[in-house]
Amino acid sequence: MRFAVISDVHGNVLALDAVLADIERQGVEAVLCLGDNVSGPVDPAGAAERLMAVDGPSIRGNHDRWVVDPERLAAGSGSVDHLAHSLLSASQLEWLAALPETAIYADNVFLCHGTPQSDEGTWLDNFYTGRTTTLPSLEQVTALAEGLDYPVLLCGHTHTPRAVRLLDGRLIVNPGAVGMQLVHGSPDARYAIVEKRVSGWHTHFLAVPYDHEEAARRAADNGFPQWAQSLTNGWVGPSSLG
Ligand SMILES: [Fe+2]
């Protein structure tokens, strides 16, 4: 078994196209998508169009939930969720609203966006203040995996590629973000390939260059200069994205 894992595209169709082209060369049997698909200022509708055509299980992230939540939209008229909602077609919004919160692939792989319990929770690392990131303990990470009897558990949401092997052998993988780098100091798009070999489950993390300057231009043109800056250099604190 060998599959690709993508997450947190955040409407960045240029990064997504580069990643999907890279995946084409990898000989995988499926592409698993962990959500936060469209909320971003580059091209939400273009990202939705590509993701709807991807062959593999797909779940929703917290932003996907917010894009189709009327109360949330009413409260944040200047947000990227609002922008995505205004640009998506009716069928794209329907697709987004129908995505499940979690999924299981091939009896072996559990998919969630944040943690198994919450699409806003963080699992393998905490969001950070400035450039300081704190890591949870192994006990905290293990507790959130309780009752999930699958050899591979997948999460996204924090935009940080990381793989944790629990003491019982289960593997938890966050592939990082396709469309928005927060703490890498590089704009390259991230994804992962997970593969079962005789020796066990292997994780490959990949970083794919793409036309990030064009992505930044589109973000600025759509009125999100903070996003344009982080698309350019790969450094930002979540609070400064606006
Ligand atoms: Fe998220």
Side-chain angles (χ1 to χ4, degrees):
M1 188 182 292
R2 177 178 162 89
F3 54 87
V5 188
I6 62 175
S7 188
D8 295 276
V9 172
H10 280 282
N12 188 342
V13 74
L14 299 172
L16 177 60
D17 280 345
V19 163
L20 292 176
D22 201 66
I23 289 173
E24 279 279 308
R25 303 168 61 246
Q26 300 285 353
V28 297
E29 63 205 44
V31 180
L32 283 54
C33 181
L34 305 180
D36 277 7
N37 297 326
V38 297
S39 293
V42 177
D43 181 1
E49 183 190 326
R50 308 296 198 282
L51 289 171
M52 287 169 76
V54 165
D55 183 17
S58 189
I59 61 170
R60 68 160 161 77
N62 53 312
H63 281 280
D64 302 318
R65 178 164 55 82
W66 294 342
V67 165
V68 292
D69 178 347
E71 258 177 49
R72 180 95 192 182
L73 290 170
S77 62
S79 70
V80 284
D81 301 322
H82 202 272
L83 176 75
H85 183 91
S86 70
L87 293 174
L88 260 55
S89 69
S91 62
Q92 289 173 332
L93 288 170
E94 246 173 65
W95 163 74
L96 209 60
L99 291 174
E101 185 171 1
T102 62
I104 292 158
Y105 173 66
D107 296 329
N108 275 284
V109 185
F110 176 84
L111 292 73
C112 67
H113 179 69
T115 69
Q117 298 77 22
S118 165
D119 62 17
E120 294 182 66
T122 57
W123 199 352
L124 303 185
D125 44 85
N126 297 306
F127 278 128
Y128 51 91
T129 308
R131 293 189 178 180
T132 303
T133 305
T134 57
L135 296 178
S137 67
L138 184 56
E139 288 72 26
Q140 288 171 305
V141 172
T142 304
L144 295 176
E146 192 183 332
L148 292 169
D149 191 15
Y150 304 96
V152 179
L153 309 168
L154 303 175
C155 65
H157 187 53
T158 65
H159 298 213
T160 305
R162 195 180 299 283
V164 169
R165 179 81 64 182
L166 298 179
L167 297 180
D168 60 20
R170 285 178 296 169
L171 175 70
I172 311 175
V173 176
N174 183 332
V178 170
M180 169 53 72
Q181 309 310 317
L182 299 175
V183 292
H184 303 298
S186 155
D188 293 359
R190 314 297 165 123
Y191 79 100
I193 288 177
V194 178
E195 178 179 23
K196 188 178 188 186
R197 297 189 198 163
V198 175
S199 53
W201 291 91
H202 289 234
T203 310
H204 311 265
F205 291 115
L206 296 100
V208 181
Y210 73 101
D211 191 352
H212 60 276
E213 289 178 353
E214 173 61 18
R217 270 193 293 277
R218 293 190 195 180
D221 288 349
N222 280 324
F224 289 84
Q226 317 92 311
W227 283 69
Q229 190 183 347
S230 52
L231 285 164
T232 301
N233 62 22
W235 285 110
V236 74
S239 60
S240 67
L241 280 176

